[in-house]
Amino acid sequence: MKLALVHDFLVNFGGAEKVTLTLAEMFPDAPIYTLLYHHKLDRLFANKKIIVSPLQFWFKTFRIPVRFLLPWMAGAVENFNFSGYDLVISSNNSFAGGIITEPETIHISYCHSPTRYLWDAYHTYVDEQRLPGWAKTIIKKLLHNLRIWDKLSAGRPSIYLANSTHVKKRIHKYYRRDAQVVYPPVDTHKIIPKKSNAGYFLVLSRLSGYKRIDRAILACNALKLPLVIIGEGEARKNLERLAGPTIEFLGWQSDQSKLEYLRNARALLFPGEEDFGIVPVEAQAAGKPVIAYGVGGARESVMDGVTGLFFDEPTTESLTIAIRRFITMEKKFDWREISQHAQKFSREKFKQDIMTIVNQQLKIKN
């Protein structure tokens, strides 16, 4: 069987890239097609055959930011040639699902999310651009054209997989396609749960505005509780201005260091809306409760009152109330039960689910 993998662009390493890496482990001989590739990921993909688009020249030679190459990405992904392949698996939240395959080729699209800046976050994305009005007009036209392409190309995959029920609903809303839920792989086997803690609350996240880390900072300021924040991002300076004396920013940390901070945390704060969210699962694998905004993927990975607590309103006040509630019932949480719950999102479970679907599709084809 001739098989290929496709990923939007391998320039950073997050949850979507972990999915592609796991797929590459499952299918070690499969080449990985991607629009752009950054050499800093060599330590993870060094033994893989990476096939890039012509946009790589501009990205690598002139260090042009990814967003400035946006107008040419749809055309670039369509120019990848998958002639002769029996099966192609795309891992995508923007362009990889729009590849063109032969009629007899099975295309499984693992969708992390319909492209947010084209659909539900379109107005927010445009408003956040610090650009003059005429420039925003151009951006709106570009995104309008990409939205048409995205909807049309959504009919190309043979089958859709979604990383959560939350994303499954959005796939149906925007693409009018059904999807099967396969939760993304989490390395729960690498995390040793721990009963005790060092007394601090933890945020482990990219420091971006939509992550709403400001809610966690303001809540811990008000309650005078210690909060450790791990991660980097464009919002760091603004967040540091909000922080009181009990807030500590640690910036980038190694994977091993992040796991140790998770194991020693009192609880994880997860104040934004996510399509799934791997960090809450990692925290639970470590035996730690999660205090999360009760929408999106958190509703699927956290059991309210058992492995964590939800706050229902997207406000600092609602999170503050939830933290106070957690403190009053903290001793009721069982670290063993929390850790056991996380195992349903393990890497092995992901591999089993993917292989079952691959075999089903091949059986249908034959």
Side-chain angles (χ1 to χ4, degrees):
M1 178 179 67
K2 190 176 180 182
L3 186 149
L5 304 175
V6 192
H7 190 90
D8 298 315
F9 20 84
L10 291 168
V11 298
N12 290 302
F13 193 73
E17 289 72 27
K18 284 183 180 179
V19 168
T20 298
L21 183 61
T22 305
L23 291 171
E25 292 171 358
M26 295 175 63
F27 307 104
D29 296 328
I32 302 174
Y33 289 77
T34 185
L35 290 167
L36 305 169
Y37 180 81
H38 197 290
H39 65 83
K40 67 184 178 184
L41 300 185
D42 284 348
R43 63 185 177 86
L44 299 169
F45 295 95
N47 298 322
K48 307 300 178 184
K49 182 179 180 181
I50 306 293
I51 300 174
V52 297
S53 75
L55 297 179
Q56 177 74 8
F57 171 78
W58 302 97
F59 175 70
K60 182 178 180 180
T61 305
F62 300 104
R63 298 182 180 180
I64 296 177
V66 174
R67 65 182 182 276
F68 292 146
L69 297 172
L70 199 65
W72 298 276
M73 287 184 177
V77 84
E78 288 183 338
N79 283 330
F80 283 137
N81 187 353
F82 294 98
S83 299
Y85 281 99
D86 301 297
L87 174 67
V88 180
I89 304 176
S90 61
S91 167
N92 72 93
N93 55 24
S94 55
F95 293 97
I99 60 171
I100 297 174
T101 61
E102 295 179 329
E104 62 272 18
T105 301
I106 300 168
H107 175 193
I108 299 175
S109 175
Y110 189 95
C111 183
H112 304 279
S113 170
T115 312
R116 281 196 169 277
Y117 58 80
L118 296 182
W119 299 103
D120 54 311
Y122 165 69
H123 296 288
T124 302
Y125 176 81
V126 173
D127 291 342
E128 287 180 347
Q129 303 305 306
R130 296 179 179 178
L131 296 170
W134 62 267
K136 287 189 177 183
T137 299
I138 294 174
I139 289 176
K140 288 179 181 179
K141 178 61 177 177
L142 168 63
L143 297 183
H144 171 74
N145 291 337
L146 283 176
R147 188 158 45 247
I148 293 172
W149 177 86
D150 193 48
K151 178 64 174 69
L152 292 174
S153 65
R156 296 173 186 173
S158 310
I159 180 176
Y160 266 95
L161 306 181
N163 70 355
S164 66
T165 302
H166 180 61
V167 168
K168 174 181 178 177
K169 292 176 181 177
R170 293 174 59 240
I171 289 171
H172 187 267
K173 176 178 176 63
Y174 296 121
Y175 295 160
R176 295 295 188 263
R177 296 290 305 269
D178 291 325
Q180 182 174 337
V181 175
V182 176
Y183 292 117
V186 183
D187 290 327
T188 55
H189 64 287
K190 295 182 179 179
I191 304 173
I192 301 173
K194 186 176 181 180
K195 180 180 181 180
S196 62
N197 67 76
Y200 59 83
F201 290 86
L202 179 67
V203 165
L204 203 168
S205 171
R206 182 182 300 169
L207 305 187
S208 299
Y210 78 94
K211 299 285 189 178
R212 299 317 308 262
I213 299 165
D214 57 309
R215 292 174 185 160
I217 292 173
L218 294 173
C220 288
N221 281 347
L223 297 172
K224 296 181 173 56
L225 291 171
L227 173 65
V228 172
I229 299 175
I230 294 176
E232 289 287 357
E234 66 277 5
R236 177 165 178 170
K237 289 184 178 179
N238 290 334
L239 294 172
E240 286 178 332
R241 293 189 191 101
L242 295 176
T246 64
I247 315 299
E248 183 179 8
F249 288 81
L250 298 184
W252 181 89
Q253 297 288 315
S254 67
D255 288 344
Q256 187 58 43
S257 178
K258 286 188 288 189
L259 290 182
E260 283 305 305
Y261 275 102
L262 278 171
R263 294 181 68 238
N264 288 290
R266 189 173 178 181
L268 178 80
L269 302 185
F270 197 66
E273 177 182 350
E274 294 282 357
D275 297 318
F276 178 70
I278 287 177
V279 173
V281 177
E282 293 176 332
Q284 291 171 94
K288 305 307 176 186
V290 178
I291 303 173
Y293 179 35
V295 296
R299 279 280 177 189
E300 299 172 60
S301 63
V302 179
M303 296 175 64
D304 192 27
V306 180
T307 69
L309 292 176
F310 293 133
F311 64 98
D312 297 325
E313 300 297 328
T315 64
T316 299
E317 291 74 18
S318 185
L319 173 56
T320 303
I321 292 170
I323 294 174
R324 285 198 183 106
R325 181 179 166 221
F326 167 77
I327 292 172
T328 63
M329 60 180 296
E330 187 172 3
K331 293 182 180 180
K332 295 181 180 180
F333 290 100
D334 185 329
W335 64 281
R336 294 185 186 89
E337 184 176 8
I338 294 172
S339 179
Q340 184 59 41
H341 170 70
Q343 301 311 310
K344 66 184 290 188
F345 305 103
S346 70
R347 178 182 289 257
E348 288 307 310
K349 180 66 166 60
F350 172 83
K351 289 181 176 180
Q352 291 169 9
D353 290 345
I354 291 294
M355 285 308 305
T356 297
I357 292 165
V358 166
N359 290 331
Q360 287 173 345
Q361 291 300 307
L362 290 173
K363 185 177 181 180
I364 292 172
K365 177 183 177 181
N366 295 330

